[in-house]
Structure formats: C-alpha cells, structure tokens
Amino acid sequence: MDAVRVALLREVLAGTRWPAATRRFAASLRSSVVPHGGGLLLVGTRAYEPWHLAAHLVDEAAWSGRPELAPLLVRHRVRPGDPAHLAVGLGRLQGAGRGETLLLVAPERPDGGLLERVHDARRAGATVLALGSGDPEVTGLAHDALTVDPPEPHSEPGSETGPESARGIDLDMVQHLVSAAAGENSLPSTRGRRRLRDRLSRLADQLTSPPPARW
C-alpha cells in the first residue's frame, strides 16, 4: 500500500481511534529501535506469518532513512534453501535481550512455546510490543500493545458501531497504517496546509527513491 492509499485510508478512518492509535503504536516502535540502532525482531504465530509487515517495514526503513526499522523476520518453519533473510528460526528468540525489540503479531493466541520464549526475552531485557487480537496473555507480556478486533460481517472500513470504533478494519489494514507511521518523522500538524505539504514531500521522496530489494 503506497503513501497515497495510506492517506486515503486515514481519511476514511477519520473520526475513529485508528489514525491516532496506529501513530502512537508506531511511535513506541520507533522510539524502541532507533536509539539502539535497530535490533527489531518480528514474529507471528504458527498459523500467521507477518511477512507482509516485514516487507513494508523494510520499505519504510529505506524511504525514511531509518534503517533501524528494518526487522529480522523470525519464522516458525524454515526450509532448506530459504534465503538468509527468511532462514531465521525461533531459536533466535533465545538470544533476545536488552537493546532489542520483539514485535509479536498475533491474530490468535500463540502456542505456549512461543509465549514462553517471549516471556524469556522480556525477562532478559528485550522490549516486547504486541499487535493482534488482544489476547490477555499476549498483552500481559507486552510493554505496549495495539488490539484489533475482528471485523464484523459485511462491515466497511470506517463504519461505526460507536464513537471510537471502526469494526470494518482488519489486522492487515492496521499493519499498513503502523508501518507507514513508523517511517514518519513526527506526528502530523493540526494545520491542514502543513499536513498536506508533509505528505506531498514524503510522496515525492518515495517516487524519486530507488526501490528497495524485494522480498
């Protein structure tokens, strides 16, 4: 999803909690990895691998000039012949500790083995961030978490069931918003002219920058 589509999605979701919530979570991610020069570990569940988020964070790292945002994707299953950036297994979490950030994307409750590894990483000093369904065990382990409720059937992005909700948004959309916000230098100004100028400047930078290596 490019900058224009992200901007359109934010416009659709204006008046809901999502633009501010995803920027806040992205700020937590950025403030955790940038001072340490990186160290971002990204892991999903056995059934859900967040490779799409990994690719978008790599893009944002290249376009924003913040290489610290590029994650190391930790996978449950690594096959012989996988390229190096896709050949990191769960054993990597055993060495996670101070100065590293573990971002767990979990649309459902992870298995006990993964939760234990995340718990050990936190005890060793790693910062734990969680994005997903809001499972109590996951959020209890996280220093910061963003919960995405499953969309209601036949709902559309921005459709409201309450003043702070948008039940048509799904985890993939939230990941797009978080990755885009992670590459932004600051929160948008409340003045519309400056906000538009910042968006156009960032879009121009993206259009003139060479594309990063594809996953």
Side-chain angles (χ1 to χ4, degrees), residues 64-147:
S64 66
R66 293 185 181 275
E68 305 90 351
L69 293 173
L72 183 65
L73 181 62
V74 179
R75 308 180 70 196
H76 288 256
R77 293 176 293 275
V78 176
R79 298 171 296 184
D82 282 340
H85 67 288
L86 296 177
V88 180
L90 289 176
R92 175 62 179 83
L93 299 183
Q94 294 177 347
R98 192 170 305 279
E100 293 183 300
T101 300
L102 175 58
L103 174 54
L104 172 61
V105 182
E108 71 283 330
R109 173 175 288 189
D111 61 67
L114 178 57
L115 287 173
E116 183 177 352
R117 291 174 189 266
V118 174
H119 180 261
D120 289 345
R122 172 164 177 152
R123 289 185 61 187
T127 298
V128 177
L129 305 177
L131 179 60
S133 62
D135 178 82
E137 288 196 47
V138 173
T139 57
L141 287 174
H143 293 89
D144 194 2
L146 181 58
T147 297

Side-chain angles (χ1 to χ4, degrees), residues 4 26 29 53 61 74 79 81 94 102 124 134 147 161 175 186 192 203 209:
V4 172
L29 172 62
L53 176 58
V74 179
R79 298 171 296 184
Q94 294 177 347
L102 175 58
T147 297
T161 58
Q175 290 178 79
S186 61
L203 177 58
S209 297

